[in-house]
Amino acid sequence: MRRVQVLSAAIACFAFLGAQHIYGQAGQNRTPIWAPKLSGAAPGELQILPVQGNIHVLIGAGGNITVQAGDQGVLLVDTGTAAMSGKVIAAIASISTRPLRYIINTTESPDHTGGNEKIAPTGEIVPFREPDYAAGPQGALDTHRASMISFLSVFQRMAEEKPPRPEGAWPDNTYSSPQKRIFFNDEPVMIIHMPANTDGNSVVFFRKSDVVSTGDLLDLTQFPMIDLKAGGSIQSIIDSLNRLIDITVPVANAQGGTLVVPGHGRISDHAEVVYYRDMVTIIRDRIQDMIKRGMTLDQVKAARPTRDWDARYGKQSGAWTTDMFIEAAYRNLSK
């Protein structure tokens, strides 16, 4: 009996100290302390991290940049911001001396495609013919640049932007089918159309390395961006997160196994994707219920349907705030 009492007291003490660590000292505001401080790239600098297999990630250039390197050359998923292009080129050279062959744009956002114009000309297209072949299709191609792949609507919006982007920044290799597949560096690379923030999102699955690069479908630094004008919707985000979960296979306890490189934030795994999917689904259901009860946009914002995750993903300023997310979801679900 005495042992049980001692054990119970120890558990109660541990729980109290744990609560103090998570919520602050007793008597203070019980707001969760998030996020834990993690080391990362200093402003204006890049962090190069190995993921697994042939894959590295560059963090700090705007959107995360996934790098696959092997004997055939280098493949990039996204290129970051234009301002960081020089440092991205130097970082790629530190990973591999082989030529840059492919760039895959997951979306048209400038923090994912801003480096296209400067980075693509540093590469060499995969040769279709012998070096001295001058006739036929090879003679009409600019071989002294990497091939840039995207879903068709991403190319269309980049070409139609006002003010227009330089033609050298446009993808030159588009697809409009459910997926595009290439075999590069001894592994299958699946470029999968997963509409989410826009109607043109692509997710890139490196099957041998067992790594998925998601672009902005998964953004661990904020609530998901929804571009209604570009065909994005909260439901398509949830649908594509469910598809992403289907191809991420954990080793045990929903952890390890397939690793996921998000559009922004740390390297993650199956459990992180499930958590993010559940968060977006619950918020969708809350806003949908409020709309059915006749609540206005201002009333929905005041009700704070995102409150359980504001400490982790919420932003009050910047390009995409919590209020902007709620408004986009409200207008999307009101249709």
Side-chain angles (χ1 to χ4, degrees):
M1 183 66 180
R2 175 66 177 167
R3 289 182 180 178
V4 172
Q5 290 175 334
V6 171
L7 179 61
S8 298
I11 292 172
C13 181
F14 177 79
F16 174 75
L17 292 174
Q20 281 191 313
H21 174 72
I22 296 171
Y23 290 101
Q25 297 298 317
Q28 293 182 352
N29 189 337
R30 294 176 62 81
T31 301
I33 300 170
W34 192 268
K37 292 187 181 299
L38 301 173
S39 61
E45 297 298 327
L46 286 181
Q47 188 175 29
I48 306 172
L49 296 176
V51 184
Q52 63 184 11
N54 291 334
I55 310 302
H56 288 73
V57 62
L58 308 183
I59 297 175
N64 289 339
I65 299 173
T66 305
V67 183
Q68 185 225 38
D71 290 341
Q72 287 184 282
V74 175
L75 180 154
L76 298 185
V77 181
D78 292 329
T79 57
T81 60
M84 293 296 289
S85 295
K87 292 184 178 180
V88 170
I89 293 168
I92 296 167
S94 74
I95 296 171
S96 174
T97 57
R98 299 284 185 173
L100 173 63
R101 301 295 195 184
Y102 292 106
I103 293 170
I104 301 170
N105 289 150
T106 60
T107 182
E108 66 270 19
S109 175
D111 62 339
H112 290 273
T113 62
N116 282 9
E117 186 182 13
K118 292 182 180 178
I119 295 173
T122 67
E124 294 278 338
I125 199 168
V126 175
F128 299 130
R129 305 281 190 179
E130 295 76 12
D132 59 349
Y133 182 85
Q138 175 88 342
L141 291 173
D142 182 359
T143 60
H144 302 294
R145 60 184 295 113
S147 177
M148 291 190 286
I149 302 171
S150 79
F151 192 73
L152 179 60
S153 62
V154 169
F155 159 74
Q156 290 170 333
R157 280 191 289 271
M158 290 179 70
E160 294 168 358
E161 279 186 16
K162 302 296 182 185
R165 290 216 210 173
E167 190 172 339
W170 301 351
D172 54 24
N173 186 347
T174 63
Y175 73 102
S176 56
S177 54
Q179 63 184 22
K180 181 181 179 70
R181 297 175 296 178
I182 60 177
F183 195 89
F184 189 64
N185 286 328
D186 197 33
E187 76 173 316
V189 181
M190 300 180 66
I191 306 160
I192 308 169
H193 180 220
M194 290 194 185
N197 322 92
T198 75
D199 61 12
N201 293 73
S202 292
V203 165
V204 184
F205 182 23
F206 300 92
R207 279 178 35 184
K208 187 174 180 180
S209 297
D210 201 16
V211 174
V212 185
S213 183
T214 71
D216 279 344
L217 169 61
L218 183 68
D219 184 342
L220 300 181
T221 66
Q222 63 182 17
F223 291 112
M225 189 276 292
I226 307 172
D227 189 340
L228 298 177
K229 292 181 179 179
S233 73
I234 193 167
Q235 187 58 51
S236 62
I237 291 171
I238 294 169
D239 291 343
S240 289
L241 286 170
N242 282 324
R243 292 177 63 194
L244 180 59
I245 289 167
D246 287 342
I247 60 175
T248 56
V249 182
V251 171
N253 301 320
Q255 297 179 351
T258 307
L259 293 183
V260 180
V261 178
H264 299 264
R266 65 185 182 276
I267 300 167
S268 54
D269 57 17
H270 178 273
E272 192 80 64
V273 179
V274 171
Y275 182 89
Y276 198 81
R277 185 276 314 270
D278 290 349
M279 175 269 292
V280 180
T281 303
I282 293 168
I283 293 172
R284 178 207 59 187
D285 291 347
R286 286 176 177 175
I287 295 175
Q288 208 161 38
D289 180 65
M290 292 174 186
I291 291 170
K292 288 179 180 177
R293 289 190 277 134
M295 293 174 66
T296 66
L297 174 59
D298 287 341
Q299 288 172 329
V300 170
K301 287 181 179 179
R304 296 180 59 214
T306 61
R307 60 187 176 277
D308 299 281
W309 299 276
D310 282 345
R312 183 165 184 175
Y313 301 115
K315 289 185 177 180
Q316 302 305 314
S317 61
W320 187 250
T321 64
T322 303
D323 276 356
M324 292 167 71
F325 167 62
I326 294 172
E327 181 171 349
Y330 180 91
R331 297 196 185 285
N332 180 213
L333 294 168
S334 296
K335 293 181 180 179

